[in-house]
């Protein structure tokens, strides 16, 4: 490709101006003007003055709430949220405090019902006028996948983008998205990287790089050499157990170019413990001090008999594999000078892994060279395609009429795919003009075409999800296709979904069901629950903290990977078998491998673990065992902890919001996290009791504290404990006993995690409403609003005959007005 001309550089910035205009219009839509004002009825204000003035009169009012500051103007979002909170607190009996004012049921209903009607009517009217879902752009992951699928490239483009802001766990909420100059500049770089990769793939011959290595090739440690590669032992390439960084790197696996690779490894264990094999990790990286980070590829348990494992991984140019024992419970070897000499591990009687063979080959999961050529060039005549091979350039001279027609046909085809709907003539004309001017300035046809494609990919119609709807707010078929595809696959609609949209059949319930079934079986769709749970359950944060090895001696990367597998397999079973929603927290099964079962300390009397191996499998557990159900998963317990410590508040808020669907507001500004009168409080339970006694805090803490304390028997690494560990000097010693007992808001009590788990498992309608709400939030990029509550209730009600099955909830969400309307 020739250098980018000033015109081609301008291509992107023409569309940046359009983006700025769109951002401004979206901001105006999100903040209606004064002529949209709605006022709360005077009777609601009178209720507050009659029943709340004693505690909330002036700026020093309890909880920082001053009745006089409450505005009746609902067109202001902050005012609307305040009235929703007031409605909910009164309806739930939290305010006025029952111990101070005895409010009869009818008086409360006379206040909440008219207010509910007005709040709902206002929001529904607002949704009809400007849509429930505002304009939202593709998230980093969605953008990366869309470019990969559109251009048939495998490049992990999200690595080129800055981290995204997460609100409530989600990265693609329309209300939280912004588009800065820095983000626009980054987008241009990402688009250029994708186009460069796509044209290079078409231009350059497909790489058939492949290696098949015997142990002699894997090992790189002859006698007298000290390094961190494997060594030969009895005809096999061996790595011993050690904490040394990069020990087990295989220099001969350094890859010649960026790409996806299939890795096939045959290995066995050496000097294994009596009761289990040697758990090993497979990672990749440059494996030197200048590039210390390693990427996870997989893990396996090496046993006496050799076994063969296959993995697929993206490896940047110059990266190599590292294969090593990765179980911190094993004896660790000590080596001097940061290197390992031949035979130095043998005398220390260490466990090890022996590699019998290793194969690697370049693969193309996104499509081969022909598929990329078809996507970029379609049915262009051969005279243009020859330009891609510079050694065979034999291009006809510039012909304005002929080239214009060919450019138009190619750009229309590409734009329809990129914009995820048929493109209007005016948009095509503006893009075509840019490509034509590039051609007339002396560029080859292919370079002009690339400039046109670049303009398409910098257009707001590509960056933003364009969702057209009729006057009633119902989405058109192309918008439904995009919403369904990005919900289930995180990428653009495929050919089958585009065909259904073109035929106008996506409002048919049976067709929606068929497309849902099909998409969930695609390569992207099989990753749906991983993508969803990463945000819903905060699993994206699992690497945020690294437990102290002195306290969590058994925790290692293989354990963490197994924890994630446990959660992903568990959710997949709920979906595949439409399991009742109560199993989300009350299941008498989980998914384990031998490493995770050993880490949890499970015995055969507690769980059916006799036939476990290094593959994650369904395991039945004793109903009285604390294991089973989402809240006992190590992944959940780790992301809800504060590093080495646990916090009932952090976990209590997380369970309330992510599992029970109870929104916990931020604490009032005038209520500090720790009050000054807590001298003498010796435990977290005593400290939080101060909050329970304060009416400003009690309303929230009655929801926060029960699940928070119920989970206290699980430490920050997900293991069961009977006593807290206290740090004394550089060591940890057993401290006070854990007391998980508490009282639920409804007055029921529990004295153990198992009892708590059984109590909330019975709240299946609440669990179902929460899951449905998170499905809707993830699918639409909009949190559940006050006016949406009735529609969530309808989704839940429709799934009742199927015991609020996990898949039934998903299907009901997709069939709902919330999903099919703007």
């Amino acid at each position: 490709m020739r250098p980018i001309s000033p015109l081609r550089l301008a291509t992107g910035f023409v569309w940046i101006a359009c983006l700025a205009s769109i951002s401004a219009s979206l901001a105006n839509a999100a903040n209606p003007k004064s002529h949209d004002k709605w006022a709360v009825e005077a009777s609601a204000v009178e209720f507050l003055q009659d029943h709340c003035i004693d505690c909330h009169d002036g700026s020093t009012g309890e909880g920082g709430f001053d009745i006089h500051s409450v505005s009746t103007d609902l067109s202001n979002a902050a005012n609307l949220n305040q009235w929703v909170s007031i409605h909910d607190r009164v309806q739930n009996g939290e305010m006025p405090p029952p111990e101070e004012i005895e409010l009869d049921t009818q008086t409360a209903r006379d206040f909440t019902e008219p207010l509910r009607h007005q709040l709902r009517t206002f929001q529904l009217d607002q949704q009809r006028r400007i849509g429930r879902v505002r304009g939202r752009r593709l998230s980093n992951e969605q953008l990366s996948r869309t470019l990969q699928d559109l251009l048939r490239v495998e490049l992990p483009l999200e690595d080129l983008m800055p981290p995204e802001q997460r609100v409530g766990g989600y990265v693609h909420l329309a209300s939280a998205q912004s588009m800065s100059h820095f983000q626009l500049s980054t987008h241009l770089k990402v688009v250029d990287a994708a186009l460069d990769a796509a044209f290079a793939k078409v231009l350059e011959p497909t790489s058939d790089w492949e290696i098949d290595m015997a142990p002699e090739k894997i090992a790189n440690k002859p006698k007298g050499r000290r390094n961190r590669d494997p060594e030969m032992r009895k005809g096999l390439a061996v790595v011993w157990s050690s904490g040394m960084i990069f020990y087990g790197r295989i220099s001969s696996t350094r890859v010649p170019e960026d790409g996806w690779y299939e890795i096939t490894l045959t290995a066995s264990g050496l000097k294994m413990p009596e009761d289990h094999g040697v758990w090993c990790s497979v990672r990749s990286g440059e494996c030197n001090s200048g590039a210390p980070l390693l990427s996870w590829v997989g893990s396996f348990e090496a046993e006496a008999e050799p076994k063969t494992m296959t993995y697929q991984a993206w490896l940047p140019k110059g990266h190599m594999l590292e294969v090593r024992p990765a179980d911190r419970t094993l004896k660790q070897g000590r080596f001097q000078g940061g290197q390992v000499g031949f035979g130095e591990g043998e005398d220390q009687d260490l466990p090890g892994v022996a590699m019998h063979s290793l194969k690697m080959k370049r693969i193309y999961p996104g499509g081969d060279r022909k598929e990329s050529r078809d996507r970029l060039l379609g049915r262009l005549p051969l005279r243009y395609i020859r330009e891609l091979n510079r050694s065979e350039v034999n291009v006809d001279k510039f012909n304005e009429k002929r080239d214009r027609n060919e450019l138009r046909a190619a750009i229309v085809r590409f734009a329809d795919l990129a914009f995820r709907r048929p493109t209007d003539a005016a948009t095509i004309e503006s893009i075509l003009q840019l490509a034509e001017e590039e051609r007339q300035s002396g560029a080859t046809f292919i370079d002009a075409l690339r400039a046109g494609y670049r303009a398409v990919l910098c257009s707001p119609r590509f960056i933003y999800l364009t969702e057209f709807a009729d006057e009633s707010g119902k989405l058109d078929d192309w918008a439904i296709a995009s919403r369904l595809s990005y919900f289930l696959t995180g990428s653009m609609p495929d050919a089958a979904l585009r065909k259904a949209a073109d035929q106008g059949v996506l409002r048919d319930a049976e067709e929606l069901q068929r497309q849902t079934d099909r998409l969930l079986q695609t390569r992207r769709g099989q990753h749906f629950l991983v993508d969803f749970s990463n945000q819903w359950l905060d699993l994206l944060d699992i690497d945020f903290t690294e437990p102290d090895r002195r306290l969590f001696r058994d925790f290692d990367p293989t354990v963490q990977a197994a924890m994630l597998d446990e959660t992903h397999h568990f959710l997949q079973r709920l979906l595949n078998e439409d399991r009742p929603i109560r199993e989300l927290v009350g299941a008498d099964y989980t998914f384990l491998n031998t490493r995770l079962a050993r880490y949890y300390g499970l015995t055969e009397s507690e769980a059916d673990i006799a036939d476990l191996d290094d593959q994650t499998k369904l395991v039945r557990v004793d109903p009285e065992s604390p294991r089973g159900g989402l809240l006992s998963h190590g992944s959940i317990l780790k992301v809800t902890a504060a590093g080495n410590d646990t916090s009932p508040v952090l976990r209590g808020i997380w369970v309330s919001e992510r599992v029970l669907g109870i929104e916990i507001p931020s604490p009032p500004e005038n209520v500090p996290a720790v009050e000054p009168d807590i001298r003498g409080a010796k435990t977290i339970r005593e400290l939080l009791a101060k909050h329970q006694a304060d009416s400003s805090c009690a309303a929230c803490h009655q929801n926060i504290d029960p699940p928070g304390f119920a989970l206290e028997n699980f430490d920050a690494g997900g293991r069961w404990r009977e006593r807290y560990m206290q740090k004394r000097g550089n060591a940890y010693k057993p401290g006070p006993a854990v007391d998980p007992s508490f009282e639920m808001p409804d007055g029921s009590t529990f004295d153990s995690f198992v009892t708590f788990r059984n109590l909330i498992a019975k709240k299946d309608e609440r669990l179902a409403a929460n899951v449905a709400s998170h499905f809707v939030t993830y699918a639409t990029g909009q949190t559940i609003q006050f006016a949406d509550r009735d529609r969530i209730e309808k989704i839940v009600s429709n799934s009742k005959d199927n015991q609020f099955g996990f898949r039934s909830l998903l299907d009901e969400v997709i069939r709902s007005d919330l999903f099919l309307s703007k």
Side-chain angles (χ1 to χ4, degrees):
M1 298 295 163
R2 70 181 189 141
I4 298 177
S5 69
L7 176 62
R8 287 174 64 192
L9 282 172
T11 299
F13 293 100
V14 167
W15 292 109
I16 287 177
C18 297
L19 279 172
S21 174
I22 283 186
S23 297
S25 65
L26 290 174
N28 292 335
N31 297 282
K33 301 299 182 182
S34 58
H35 65 266
D36 293 324
K37 280 187 178 180
W38 285 53
V40 172
E41 294 178 0
S43 59
V45 179
E46 291 172 4
F47 175 90
L48 297 184
Q49 293 173 342
D50 291 343
H51 298 91
C52 307
I53 194 73
D54 290 344
C55 298
H56 302 287
D57 185 12
S59 58
T60 59
E62 291 189 16
F65 177 51
D66 175 14
I67 284 180
H68 304 293
S69 68
V70 178
S71 170
T72 60
D73 176 16
L74 294 181
S75 64
N76 179 283
N79 297 339
L80 175 64
N81 291 335
Q82 190 171 49
W83 278 106
V84 169
S85 178
I86 291 169
H87 169 276
D88 291 347
R89 299 288 290 275
V90 174
Q91 185 180 60
N92 295 335
E94 298 170 2
M95 290 291 167
E99 65 273 11
E100 297 183 17
I101 299 178
E102 187 173 345
L103 189 68
D104 66 88
T105 304
Q106 188 58 47
T107 301
R109 186 179 297 120
D110 290 343
F111 168 73
T112 57
E113 289 190 356
L115 179 59
R116 173 183 175 277
H117 175 74
Q118 187 170 17
L119 295 175
R120 184 174 180 275
T121 302
F122 167 74
Q123 276 199 329
L124 288 176
D125 177 75
Q126 192 179 54
Q127 290 179 7
R128 278 191 293 269
R129 288 184 292 108
I130 59 178
R132 175 182 176 275
V133 181
R134 311 295 191 264
R136 57 188 174 115
R137 60 175 172 80
L138 300 178
S139 68
N140 287 357
E141 184 175 73
Q142 290 171 340
L143 176 60
S144 177
R145 289 185 184 180
T146 302
L147 288 171
Q148 289 167 356
D149 292 345
L150 177 64
L151 299 171
R152 294 290 191 263
V153 294
E154 298 87 22
L155 194 67
L157 297 163
E158 62 269 25
D159 293 347
L160 304 178
M161 307 178 210
E164 295 173 287
Q165 179 185 10
R166 293 174 60 204
V167 177
Y170 295 97
V171 299
H172 60 288
L173 297 187
S175 59
Q177 288 184 327
S178 62
M179 183 59 82
S180 67
H181 289 289
F182 173 70
Q183 288 169 308
L184 290 169
S185 176
T186 299
H187 180 80
L188 292 175
K189 292 178 182 177
V190 169
V191 165
D192 282 335
L195 286 171
D196 289 344
F199 278 96
K201 183 176 179 180
V202 174
L203 174 63
E204 300 167 3
T206 300
S207 171
D208 295 324
W209 185 86
E210 184 174 356
I211 56 174
D212 186 350
M213 297 188 294
E216 294 81 3
K217 181 65 174 176
I218 299 172
N220 184 31
K221 200 192 307 292
K223 292 182 179 180
R225 176 181 295 180
R226 303 187 80 244
N227 59 24
R228 302 186 193 187
D229 284 63
E231 64 186 69
M232 287 297 293
R233 176 187 184 272
K234 297 182 180 179
L236 299 175
V238 172
V239 180
W240 303 108
S241 174
S242 170
M244 181 182 296
I245 188 171
F246 308 137
Y247 179 39
R249 68 186 181 188
I250 306 173
S251 301
S252 52
T253 61
R254 193 184 302 274
V255 297
E257 56 188 347
D258 296 348
W260 279 90
Y261 292 84
E262 184 176 87
I263 302 155
T264 304
L265 172 66
T266 300
S268 60
L270 294 174
K271 300 185 178 182
M272 298 176 296
E274 293 182 1
D275 56 346
H276 59 84
V278 179
W279 270 90
C280 303
S281 63
V282 181
R283 299 187 292 181
S284 70
E286 293 184 37
C287 296
N288 61 56
S289 57
L293 298 181
L294 293 170
S295 299
W296 185 260
V297 175
S299 61
F300 64 94
E301 187 177 22
E303 298 176 308
E305 293 298 318
K307 64 170 67 173
T308 299
M309 292 70 60
T310 300
Y311 309 98
Q312 291 185 357
W314 170 267
L315 303 180
K317 179 180 180 180
H319 278 216
M320 66 182 74
L321 297 182
E322 178 212 72
V323 180
R324 65 184 301 166
D327 183 346
R328 288 183 180 167
T329 66
L330 299 175
K331 181 182 178 181
Q332 304 273 301
R334 295 182 177 274
F335 304 101
Q336 300 298 319
Q339 304 292 349
V340 182
F342 181 87
E344 292 180 8
E346 186 81 38
D347 295 340
Q348 298 183 54
D349 197 28
L350 305 172
V353 58
M355 287 170 274
H356 298 242
S357 67
L358 177 60
K359 299 178 183 179
M360 296 176 64
K361 66 177 181 180
R362 178 79 186 273
I363 59 174
Y364 298 88
D368 59 21
R369 186 186 183 194
K370 181 181 182 304
E371 290 179 273
S372 294
R373 177 182 289 177
D374 290 344
R375 182 51 57 88
L376 286 176
L377 307 178
R379 297 182 179 180
L380 283 175
L382 183 61
R383 62 175 174 271
Y384 297 131
I385 297 176
R386 285 198 189 103
E387 292 184 18
L388 290 173
N389 190 330
R390 300 306 183 184
S391 63
E392 299 179 8
V393 171
N394 183 18
V395 186
D396 293 346
K397 293 182 178 180
F398 171 59
N399 181 307
E400 183 174 356
K401 182 177 180 180
R402 180 197 66 202
D403 284 3
R404 178 181 176 83
N405 291 336
E406 299 291 1
L407 280 171
R408 176 185 289 277
I411 288 173
V412 166
R413 180 186 57 82
F414 187 80
D416 285 352
L417 291 173
F419 295 163
R420 304 171 286 277
R421 63 172 54 248
T423 312
D424 63 278
T427 300
I428 292 296
E429 192 63 30
S430 63
I431 297 170
L432 179 61
Q433 182 179 352
L434 288 168
E436 276 190 301
E437 291 175 1
E438 185 79 348
R439 181 70 164 122
Q440 291 169 356
S441 70
T444 67
F445 180 90
I446 294 299
D447 284 338
L449 185 65
R450 185 191 187 282
Y453 288 172
R454 188 175 191 261
V456 168
L457 298 179
C458 291
S459 165
R461 295 176 184 269
F462 172 73
I463 299 172
Y464 284 84
L465 288 167
T466 308
E467 297 186 323
F468 293 145
D470 62 18
E471 292 183 358
S472 67
K474 294 180 179 179
L475 295 174
D476 68 13
D477 281 72
W478 291 101
I480 293 173
S482 286
R483 187 171 281 192
L484 184 65
S485 185
Y486 280 102
F487 178 32
L488 299 179
T489 73
S491 187
M492 60 185 283
D494 61 10
L497 195 53
R498 292 197 303 272
K499 182 178 179 180
D502 195 43
Q503 294 172 341
V505 297
L506 285 179
R507 284 201 160 270
D508 179 77
E510 291 185 3
E511 180 63 19
L512 264 181
Q513 182 77 52
R514 191 182 74 81
Q515 291 292 344
T516 299
D517 292 342
R518 186 186 63 80
L519 288 173
L520 287 172
Q521 296 304 312
T522 62
R523 179 172 68 97
R524 298 282 196 205
Q526 291 177 18
H527 208 67
F528 163 64
L529 282 174
V530 175
D531 299 335
F532 175 54
S533 61
N534 275 347
Q535 298 185 53
W536 167 38
L537 303 177
D538 287 325
L539 297 184
L540 282 172
D541 294 335
I542 198 162
D543 287 323
F544 188 71
T545 59
E546 181 69 24
D548 189 333
R549 291 189 181 184
R550 292 169 296 178
L551 184 58
F552 301 93
R553 296 182 183 276
D554 295 351
F555 187 86
D556 55 44
T558 61
V559 168
Q560 180 168 292
M563 288 175 170
L564 289 172
D565 283 347
E566 176 185 25
T567 303
H568 296 153
H569 280 75
F570 177 78
L571 294 174
Q572 195 67 51
R573 183 174 194 254
L574 295 182
L575 183 71
N576 291 348
E577 301 182 14
D578 198 23
R579 306 299 300 176
I581 197 62
R582 63 176 176 270
E583 291 186 8
L584 182 69
V585 294
D588 62 352
Y589 60 86
T590 190
F591 285 81
L592 306 171
N593 58 29
T594 56
R595 182 71 185 95
L596 190 57
R598 181 156 50 91
Y599 178 80
Y600 284 162
L602 288 173
T603 64
E604 291 190 21
S605 63
E606 296 177 89
D608 184 17
I609 59 175
D611 297 326
L612 277 183
D613 54 26
D614 59 357
Q615 301 301 304
T616 301
K617 296 179 180 179
L618 187 147
V619 172
R620 295 287 177 182
V621 297
D622 187 292
E624 296 305 311
S625 168
R627 297 298 170 181
L630 189 71
L631 298 183
S632 69
H633 290 190
S635 61
I636 301 301
L637 297 163
K638 185 172 187 293
V639 300
T640 57
N644 295 322
D645 301 317
T646 60
S647 165
V649 174
L650 291 179
R651 282 181 171 169
I653 292 173
W654 190 94
V655 173
S656 296
E657 296 186 339
R658 303 308 171 90
V659 178
L660 298 176
I662 301 172
E663 189 69 24
I664 305 296
S666 300
E669 292 183 5
N670 67 342
V671 178
V674 179
E675 296 94 327
D677 63 343
I678 61 167
R679 298 175 186 175
K682 298 179 181 179
T683 67
I684 186 67
R685 177 175 291 273
E686 290 171 313
L687 187 150
L688 290 177
K690 305 292 184 180
H691 289 272
Q692 285 280 356
D694 187 330
S695 59
S696 299
C697 307
C700 291
H701 275 273
Q702 69 174 350
N703 292 314
I704 294 171
D705 294 349
F709 280 106
L711 293 175
E712 277 293 271
N713 275 119
F714 295 103
D715 69 16
R719 297 174 304 183
W720 185 261
R721 65 185 177 187
E722 297 291 345
R723 308 187 75 85
Y724 291 103
M725 298 296 290
Q726 294 183 331
K727 191 173 183 180
R728 298 174 184 173
N730 292 324
Y732 289 90
K733 303 292 183 181
V738 175
D739 178 8
S741 62
F742 219 85
E743 180 179 341
M744 300 286 278
D746 62 6
S748 58
T749 61
F750 60 87
D751 59 5
S752 69
F753 168 72
V754 172
T755 308
F756 167 79
R757 181 184 67 190
N758 295 341
L759 283 173
I760 64 171
K762 295 176 182 178
K763 301 178 183 295
D764 46 8
E765 289 195 34
R766 170 166 283 179
L767 295 172
N770 173 69
V771 169
S773 297
H774 281 283
F775 275 150
V776 170
T777 299
Y778 182 71
T780 66
Q782 174 62 270
T783 55
I784 300 302
Q785 299 177 322
F786 188 85
D788 301 332
R789 294 177 181 181
D790 290 348
R791 288 177 281 190
I792 291 294
E793 289 177 7
K794 182 178 179 181
I795 289 170
V796 172
S797 176
N798 289 346
S799 65
K800 185 174 183 178
D801 290 345
N802 294 327
Q803 297 180 297
F804 311 108
F806 202 79
R807 174 61 193 269
S808 294
L809 288 168
L810 178 73
D811 291 336
E812 289 297 335
V813 164
I814 292 173
R815 286 193 288 263
S816 71
D817 286 341
L818 284 171
F819 187 85
L820 297 175
S821 299
K822 181 71 173 74

